[in-house]
Amino acid sequence: PALPATTVDSWNRVRDRERIHTHLGLGEWGNSSTVFVDPAAPLVVLAVGYRRVLYGDHGPYVELHRHQVRWEAFPGKIIKCETAFYDEFYTATRSVKLYDQRRAVSQQPNPPAGRWSVPHNRTEGYADYRPRMVYVAADTVQIGTPNHMPPQVTAAVVNTEVQDQNASGHKRTMAEAPEEMSSSSAGVPPERPRIAFKLPSTLRR
């Protein structure tokens, strides 16, 4: 189903929106650039970008597409039974919990107990969680800066003429990086070109 224009429709959700906007500066609708980090390990990036902040009766949750999550930042996991609403993933510090949503809570009119929980007996369910989306409690994360992102290494391909395995004596120019070059039809990987790396000044010794 289509996303609602807003999920802020009760006093408790207004309260939560004001708190999250004040503490994190997050708008209800997301973007592709906001960096989320672990407050207990601020150099660890948890996600980049978000879909929206979902305001439900169990509190505010950052809703993420799967590709926005840095899964390597969540080494701990609990895979639940088939009827569970979600699987759990944890950071190494155990301070941030990720919910990999399996099922909607449309048949649950009230939320489980929690600091921000308020029962409203909603016929549509206490929150608009979507299966296959990923959630993290907004109160448990910290907003990072682009400086939290690892520096990108600029690669310059020096010798890009590679012998084509399909035609003897025929050369072709490879513009892509070595890991992006496909192998030949004969099943023999092409010769790897020499790469000259230009490291950012912060990484030079």
Side-chain angles (χ1 to χ4, degrees):
L3 296 177
T6 182
T7 52
V8 181
D9 61 1
S10 58
W11 68 265
N12 58 302
R13 298 183 181 191
V14 171
R15 171 204 63 190
D16 293 341
R17 180 178 62 183
E18 292 176 352
R19 184 179 70 259
I20 295 307
H21 181 74
T22 299
H23 293 172
L24 299 179
L26 293 179
E28 185 172 357
W29 292 100
N31 56 53
S32 61
S33 59
T34 298
V35 178
F36 297 91
V37 300
D38 183 349
L43 294 181
V44 177
V45 176
L46 306 179
V48 179
Y50 69 108
R51 189 188 195 193
R52 60 175 174 164
V53 178
L54 172 60
Y55 293 98
D57 294 336
H58 193 249
Y61 284 78
V62 179
E63 184 177 81
L64 303 161
H65 290 287
R66 305 184 73 81
H67 71 268
Q68 294 173 321
V69 177
R70 296 297 177 88
W71 292 97
E72 66 274 13
F74 297 90
K77 63 181 179 180
I78 299 177
I79 305 302
K80 298 188 174 183
C81 65
E82 294 182 359
T83 58
F85 287 98
Y86 55 82
D87 292 321
E88 302 175 9
F89 291 81
Y90 293 88
T91 58
T93 64
R94 304 289 291 185
S95 64
V96 181
K97 176 181 177 180
L98 196 74
Y99 301 80
D100 188 0
Q101 199 72 25
R102 288 188 185 181
R103 301 169 52 203
V105 296
S106 54
Q107 303 300 315
Q108 308 294 318
N110 291 307
R115 180 179 181 183
W116 308 110
S117 294
V118 177
H120 284 295
N121 294 309
R122 296 178 185 265
T123 58
E124 73 277 15
Y126 69 86
D128 187 33
Y129 301 130
R130 304 290 177 108
R132 295 292 296 168
M133 299 302 293
V134 183
Y135 297 89
V136 61
D139 292 286
T140 67
V141 296
Q142 179 178 317
I143 302 302
T145 68
N147 293 333
H148 285 90
M149 301 301 291
Q152 293 184 350
V153 177
T154 301
V157 178
V158 178
N159 184 10
T160 58
E161 289 189 344
V162 180
Q163 185 71 29
D164 192 329
Q165 302 295 325
N166 296 321
S168 176
H170 176 70
K171 294 182 178 180
R172 55 191 173 94
T173 299
M174 305 296 291
E176 58 267 21
E179 62 271 19
E180 294 174 342
M181 292 189 296
S182 60
S183 59
S184 67
S185 59
V188 180
E191 179 185 349
R192 297 174 68 89
R194 292 184 290 109
I195 304 296
F197 289 98
K198 298 179 181 179
L199 294 178
S201 58
T202 55
L203 296 182
R204 294 174 185 162
R205 297 183 61 182

